[in-house]
Amino acid sequence: MPKYLHIVLATGLRQEFTYLPLTASDSVPAPTIGLRVRVAFGRSERVGLIVGMSDATTFDANKIKPVIDYLDSTNLLPPALWQLGLWAAEYYQYPLGDALMHLLPAKLRQAKPNQLVQLNWTLADIDPDFGRAHKQQALWQQLQGLAPAFNLDQLKKQNIKPSQLKPFIEKQWLSTSQPQPQTVRLQLSQQPLDLNAEQAAVVAHLASAHHSFSCHLINGVTGSGKTEVYLQAMADVLEKGQRILLLVPEIGLTPQLLQRLEARFNNRVLALHSGLTEHQRLNAWQQANLGQADIIIGTRSALFTPIPKLGLIIIDEEHDQAYKQQEGFRYHGRDLAIKRAADAHIPIVLGSATPSLESLANVSRGRFQQWLLTQRAGGASNQRYEVIDLRNQPQQAGISQQLKDMVGIQLELGHQVLLMLNRRGFAPSLQCQSCGQTAQCPACDANMTLHRRPPRLHCHHCEHQQPVYLHCPQCNSHQLKPLGQGTERTEEQLQSLFPNTPVYRIDRDTTRNKGSLETMLAQVHAGGPCLLLGTQMLAKGHHFPKVTLAAILDADASLFSSDFRGPEKLAQLLVQTAGRAGRENIPGTAVIQTYQADHPTIDLLVTKGYNAFAQQELASRQQSGLPPLGHMALFHAQAKDANHAFTLLHWLAQQVQDPTLAHLTRSLLMFGPMPAFMARRAHFYRAQLQLQHPNRKRLQQLLQQLCARLDQHPGARKIRWSLDIDPQELG
Ligand code: ADP
Ligand code: ZN
Ligand code: ZN
């Protein structure tokens, strides 16, 4: 029995706390690393995790409090996830307690006794005397019908709550045990397709790649049959009795993938999506942990699901920004999934038609194996690009005459058309015609978006909403005019341009209600000619067999982004949108409307394709030492007073120049402190300090030193600061 327990809590502090263990007895298990404990912390009770034990302490032993209790009898996190949590906390310089707690479902982060009720109950073979406890007697008799053992499902069918069993357990008339993981067996419910040579090569290779770590990038044009490759690789894994984790950017946006999984396999599929309640999430977590599902599909955080006998991880649309958590624990789901696969000695597959430059760089370095799928599967031909130069073109509804004619022809032919405009709302702003002022958010350095349904001015950065002005707050003029095009406005205008054609608008506003996206998609699939108008949601993995024309209405918005990833993101959006066209036997056309028709990014994409663009972009990143060829970290600070945020980062910049750190800062590039792109958001002034280093290890060591100094700095406590390692967005 150790004398002291080292415990971490989710306090945001990079610190361990020392407590005394409980006195050992029959009913109290010995503490182990990883066990959840309840402790008194300040004036409240908190949940903590034991991360270490020792027999000596530097604290005053008399002041160390005992833990209140152990919340579980064994560690909840399996070793693989515990390791991953430790690693991620260190890599992302995130407080260990917060990182490890993040791996648990929210319900298990509360200081309550174990709520895991997924147990097997076994009845003792006795005939107790209940005396006058008639209710208990009745319950006992009901349980006899389930004898000798039962599980939660059976209990539910009898309308019995697990809590009702407590008295029996206390008297030891009933014992509990964790169910054993079930075995996995392939259950195909649909014949797999015959693969083409490119597909077959990947599946065959993966089948031989079991039991060792390897990372595979399936770089396949949209519609080239990546999903079919996943399904067949999964079948091989199931056949070997192992389970699969499939990560997707957003499940709600890709109901088709789930449908295809369920059509192909009779195996148990568990979907972890944002619509689950905390309670459902906890249940799902347990089911996975107990091996009650064979295929786990989920978004970023599903990567932390405990899965016994995990045999393969697949990351669909691996380039998607949604894999990076943008606040709090700013981890990258793809990178952690790769780490998890490496620890588990299993293969991992990343798939995309527009791979991230990170993954392509890993292919060049020989770390990933690349599989090119160059042809559309099932007879569909690759789409043709057309660039429409908006200069000197008459436009209606943000649509040039040329595009309008093309749309008209496709509708005549009975086809469907997809139009992408990446701005929701009616208009990006409301402008005064007398003084030129636009409606500014009172809390942000940003315009408020004008919405019509319902009418309001809405800041998309802080969610501030207010009634639409009737006159200009600056000059009182009534001459207010919507400025620019949003999806609501374009929808209205499209409806009058094509009065006999249904227009489906798909953006966050029209899909907020549960099931509304599915309903619209079903109508599109069942229906005849129509116009699909939407934001980038539309570019995400949907399969629209009848769409023959996909157009990007405004490619310019992201062309001049100040973020170095701007061109990459634009290229991905363009290619993904274009990929929605002509996925079946009718050839498709992808149209790009732009005022920059001769821009090199667009030209390269259209003439040579995404991979040529990516190679050129990588070369230019290399020249400037930018990721993925150099490494980057970004310190953010925000405060109500602009000076405070800057003062802290200036102090930090001085630390960087400390001669004792010179061995780490040679070849370091530092930019800032500088204002974030949006210098004020939700009333906070935001500043940032950007660090770039060719050597990841050195940068890590430097960041560790800087975080330790920040923790000690009294000024840092009053200011919200955070560190983003491998940032995906610069501000
Ligand atoms: P991706 O995931 O690359 O977009 P999918 O797997 O969705 O591609 O395939 C696109 C279409 O082609 C689907 O309708 C799919 O059923 C079909 N398909 C895929 N592979 C084959 C194949 N080998 N033979 C015939 N059809 C295929
Ligand atoms: Zn005005
Ligand atoms: Zn705002």
Side-chain angles (χ1 to χ4, degrees), residues 432 434-437 472 474-477:
C432 169
S434 306
C435 74
Q437 179 78 13
C472 171
Q474 182 141 310
C475 74
N476 229 11
S477 156

Side-chain angles (χ1 to χ4, degrees), residues 701-717:
Q701 288 165 353
L702 174 67
L703 295 173
Q704 203 174 354
Q705 296 275 340
L706 294 176
C707 287
R709 290 183 187 199
L710 272 164
D711 286 342
Q712 296 301 318
H713 183 56
R717 291 203 195 118

Side-chain angles (χ1 to χ4, degrees), residues 95-288:
L96 182 58
D98 296 82
L100 288 172
M101 285 299 180
H102 197 95
L103 270 58
L104 290 169
K107 285 256 176 201
L108 294 176
R109 296 175 210 158
Q110 300 164 354
K112 287 189 187 153
N114 196 335
Q115 303 177 24
L116 300 175
V117 286
Q118 274 284 341
L119 296 167
N120 277 341
W121 286 271
T122 312
L123 289 159
D125 189 11
I126 48 168
D127 191 6
D129 178 9
F130 284 93
R132 276 188 282 166
H134 298 302
K135 268 196 188 150
Q136 285 204 7
Q137 186 165 22
L139 182 58
W140 183 254
Q141 261 156 19
Q142 202 182 348
L143 291 177
Q144 295 305 311
L146 302 173
F150 50 89
N151 63 21
L152 186 66
D153 279 345
Q154 291 166 291
L155 204 58
K156 272 199 182 139
K157 283 198 192 109
Q158 299 282 330
N159 274 325
I160 304 173
K161 291 202 191 89
S163 57
Q164 290 173 264
L165 304 182
K166 248 188 169 161
F168 298 152
I169 294 171
E170 278 161 11
K171 294 185 185 117
Q172 297 187 354
W173 297 346
L174 199 58
S175 60
T176 57
S177 62
Q178 293 278 337
Q180 291 305 303
Q182 296 167 16
T183 50
V184 182
R185 198 158 61 75
L186 170 64
Q187 290 168 284
L188 269 188
S189 47
Q190 182 191 54
Q191 270 311 306
L193 301 172
D194 284 334
L195 299 178
N196 63 37
E198 288 175 331
Q199 291 174 309
V202 198
V203 174
H205 184 92
L206 287 172
S208 66
H210 286 276
H211 307 301
S212 66
F213 168 64
S214 51
C215 192
H216 304 267
L217 175 67
I218 304 184
N219 180 351
V221 298
T222 46
S224 59
K226 294 182 290 295
T227 311
E228 185 61 31
V229 169
Y230 305 157
L231 293 174
Q232 299 204 18
M234 288 164 80
D236 290 334
V237 172
L238 292 169
E239 192 153 60
K240 296 200 163 77
Q242 294 179 309
R243 299 190 170 81
I244 297 127
L245 172 63
L246 171 56
L247 296 181
V248 294
E250 286 171 79
I251 294 191
L253 294 185
T254 47
Q256 285 161 337
L257 180 56
L258 197 58
Q259 283 159 17
R260 276 172 80 176
L261 266 183
E262 287 171 342
R264 180 65 54 93
F265 300 108
N266 251 334
N267 289 71
R268 296 152 300 179
V269 176
L270 187 68
L272 297 163
H273 52 84
S274 55
L276 297 182
T277 64
E278 291 303 350
H279 189 74
Q280 288 169 326
R281 200 165 283 281
L282 176 69
N283 274 343
W285 189 87
Q286 285 181 82
Q287 278 175 15

Side-chain angles (χ1 to χ4, degrees), residues 401-616:
Q401 187 59 44
Q402 194 182 341
L403 178 57
K404 189 188 161 198
D405 294 343
M406 293 172 80
V407 172
I409 292 172
Q410 292 307 315
L411 295 175
E412 289 279 284
L413 289 169
H415 301 156
Q416 300 178 338
V417 174
L418 182 151
L419 303 171
M420 213 222 28
L421 178 65
N422 211 7
R423 278 190 304 262
R424 67 193 170 92
F426 187 80
S429 191
L430 181 67
Q431 189 180 40
C432 169
Q433 298 303 290
S434 306
C435 74
Q437 179 78 13
T438 53
Q440 291 287 309
C441 173
C444 305
D445 286 348
N447 284 327
M448 286 185 286
T449 301
L450 177 67
H451 284 253
R452 280 271 169 91
R453 276 176 260 158
R456 66 193 189 276
L457 290 167
H458 186 159
C459 172
H460 289 177
H461 306 284
C462 72
E463 303 301 334
H464 167 82
Q465 299 190 31
Q466 64 181 62
V468 181
Y469 302 132
L470 297 178
H471 30 78
C472 171
Q474 182 141 310
C475 74
N476 229 11
S477 156
H478 292 275
Q479 305 283 311
L480 299 170
K481 217 174 133 190
L483 193 66
Q485 291 285 136
T487 47
E488 274 184 18
R489 187 180 209 180
T490 305
E491 179 192 17
E492 253 181 50
Q493 296 168 332
L494 279 174
Q495 204 63 87
S496 50
L497 275 183
F498 301 97
N500 302 318
T501 307
V503 179
Y504 296 95
R505 173 161 64 93
I506 296 184
D507 57 27
R508 259 209 290 142
D509 296 310
T510 60
T511 56
R512 192 155 286 147
N513 295 333
K514 202 167 174 268
S516 47
L517 177 64
E518 281 85 344
T519 312
M520 274 194 280
L521 293 181
Q523 284 168 348
V524 172
H525 286 296
C530 69
L531 290 163
L532 274 146
L533 167 72
T535 55
Q536 60 174 344
M537 280 176 93
L538 265 187
K540 294 204 176 192
H542 293 294
H543 183 52
F544 296 112
K546 298 178 199 162
V547 168
T548 49
L549 174 63
I552 288 112
L553 297 187
D554 177 11
D556 298 346
S558 31
L559 208 48
F560 298 101
S561 154
S562 38
D563 192 323
F564 73 94
R565 290 186 207 272
E568 179 186 356
K569 288 181 192 166
L570 173 65
Q572 289 166 345
L573 188 61
L574 292 182
V575 175
Q576 293 288 345
T577 308
R580 303 305 119 203
R583 287 174 57 101
E584 263 164 30
N585 37 23
I586 323 154
T589 306
V591 169
I592 300 168
Q593 291 198 132
T594 171
Y595 285 97
Q596 309 288 330
D598 33 25
H599 193 281
T601 301
I602 291 181
D603 187 56
L604 191 60
L605 267 178
V606 168
T607 54
K608 300 267 170 57
Y610 181 82
N611 286 320
F613 156 81
Q615 290 312 320
Q616 196 191 65

Side-chain angles (χ1 to χ4, degrees), residues 314-328:
I314 300 171
I315 305 189
D316 191 27
E317 308 293 356
E318 65 90 29
H319 64 279
D320 202 292
Q321 298 290 309
Y323 286 118
K324 174 82 197 255
Q325 177 132 312
Q326 299 285 16
E327 56 192 25

